[in-house]
Amino acid sequence: MALLTPLPAPLRGAVSMTLLVLSTTTFTLCLMPLALLKLLLPLAAVRRPIDRLMNALASIWVGINNGWIAAVSPAPWDVQGLDSLHERGWYLVSSNHQSWVDILVLQRIFHGRIPFLKFFLKQELIWVPVIGLAWWALDFPFMKRGKGHGAQHSDLKTTREACEKFKLIPTTVINFVEGTRFTPGKHDAQGSPYRHLLKPKIGGLGIALAAMGEQFEALLDVTIVYPGGIPTFWQLLSGQVPGVTVRVQPRPIPPAVLGGDPMQDKAYRQRIGDWVDAQWRDKDALIDRLQPRG
């Protein structure tokens, strides 16, 4: 229920921002002693209960975020495809990426339906005040995004190590396959063959599939559309997002894209690339259908 909608947008945004800062700071402070204990005692028997507790704290934090989003946002969200999901499984999520708002959208729609989402993040985001520490404590994989074979090998090694940790308890791994947020300028510079998407990058996805692909119950193919245009984070905080449309399509993961070596095996990379390209063509057509006409 949008309890704060009678307030002016700037005041709604200020209230939301205050709640976000307070909850994030409190959440991170609660995580730090647990993260230190896990660092000092890196044993599976210790890690497993600590990881469960940390994920439970993270779920509470997401619930608080969902509360202020509902309180400031009068527009309904059109979400389909969640009925068959459950919290005891392992999932790999692939979504298009347009805005920082995407992350809170994904957390809101999946909250209480699948395990807490773990993102692939750019290395520099570890320095984001407060939340960067929380991401580190929760074992989010940080990618260097450098150029050249050495940087690529380092990123894939980081992803493999993170995925090994994710095997301990039910986890959802999400990868924005485009590698960056969509903008018309980036789209044109790439010469992307898709109307609404950037070219997919399969490095991190390939290692996730190689490291724990057989453990994933399904790939959750997520398509996010903002009928009123791509929103800024402030627009979400202040309740000025005129609706969100999300479609979730669980897809089986074919055996041909499991267990290979995406660094050395070109044929394996090609199989993953063909699989993702088919998804991207379907997603591009779906975005075209979901966008408002006129």
Side-chain angles (χ1 to χ4, degrees):
M1 186 175 181
L3 298 175
L4 299 181
T5 51
L7 300 177
L11 188 53
R12 292 199 301 267
V15 171
S16 298
M17 178 62 78
T18 300
L19 289 172
L20 178 60
V21 170
L22 289 176
S23 66
T24 302
T25 302
T26 302
F27 161 63
T28 304
L29 290 174
C30 291
L31 284 182
M32 288 304 103
L34 297 171
L36 180 60
L37 182 60
K38 190 170 66 170
L39 187 64
L40 294 175
L41 299 171
L43 305 173
V46 176
R47 285 188 59 95
R48 191 172 289 110
I50 291 178
D51 282 341
R52 291 184 187 279
L53 180 54
M54 293 172 78
N55 286 340
L57 291 171
S59 183
I60 293 171
W61 175 73
V62 171
I64 294 170
N65 290 339
N66 291 348
W68 61 254
I69 291 172
V72 302
S73 302
W77 288 22
D78 176 9
V79 182
Q80 297 178 18
L82 301 175
D83 294 341
S84 64
L85 308 180
H86 59 92
E87 288 189 275
R88 301 301 303 168
W90 277 261
Y91 293 101
L92 179 60
V93 173
S94 175
S95 174
N96 60 316
H97 191 22
Q98 305 160 86
S99 165
W100 272 88
V101 174
D102 299 341
I103 295 174
L104 277 86
V105 168
L106 291 166
Q107 289 179 334
R108 187 182 185 196
I109 67 167
F110 286 130
H111 182 58
R113 295 181 179 273
I114 61 176
F116 181 70
L117 302 174
K118 301 291 179 72
F119 295 84
F120 293 86
L121 297 168
K122 296 178 182 179
Q123 179 72 29
E124 55 267 28
L125 293 180
I126 198 172
W127 304 112
V128 174
V130 184
I131 194 64
L133 282 174
W135 285 329
W136 169 80
L138 288 164
D139 291 325
F140 280 46
F142 289 92
M143 318 299 284
K144 290 185 172 57
R145 301 298 187 201
K147 295 182 179 180
H149 180 79
Q152 183 186 42
H153 181 78
S154 176
D155 272 359
L156 298 182
K157 180 175 179 290
T158 299
T159 309
R160 186 182 294 278
E161 291 172 351
C163 288
E164 288 298 324
K165 296 175 185 177
F166 295 160
K167 289 181 178 181
L168 295 175
I169 61 172
T171 303
T172 301
V173 178
I174 179 166
N175 186 214
F176 290 117
V177 184
E178 291 163 293
T180 185
R181 287 164 291 181
F182 177 95
T183 66
K186 293 175 184 176
H187 179 270
D188 293 344
Q190 280 191 352
S192 174
Y194 315 100
R195 291 187 61 190
H196 309 288
L197 301 164
L198 301 179
K199 293 179 180 178
K201 299 178 180 179
I202 64 168
L205 182 67
I207 285 294
L209 290 167
M212 54 182 295
E214 294 180 357
Q215 197 159 358
F216 289 127
E217 183 171 319
L219 173 85
L220 304 183
D221 183 3
V222 181
T223 303
I224 303 173
V225 171
Y226 299 104
I230 298 172
T232 64
F233 195 65
W234 174 253
Q235 286 175 314
L236 180 70
L237 288 168
S238 55
Q240 299 182 81
V241 179
V244 179
T245 301
V246 185
R247 296 292 181 267
V248 180
Q249 182 179 356
R251 293 179 181 266
I253 301 176
V257 300
L258 300 176
D261 183 349
M263 282 292 296
Q264 304 295 332
D265 189 340
K266 292 183 179 180
Y268 178 64
R269 288 201 304 273
Q270 185 63 50
R271 291 196 299 273
I272 296 176
D274 291 344
W275 182 54
V276 173
D277 178 65
Q279 294 172 37
W280 243 231
R281 283 186 274 110
D282 290 347
K283 187 184 296 292
D284 206 38
L286 178 59
I287 292 173
D288 206 47
R289 295 195 300 272
L290 293 175
Q291 285 189 331
R293 302 299 178 186

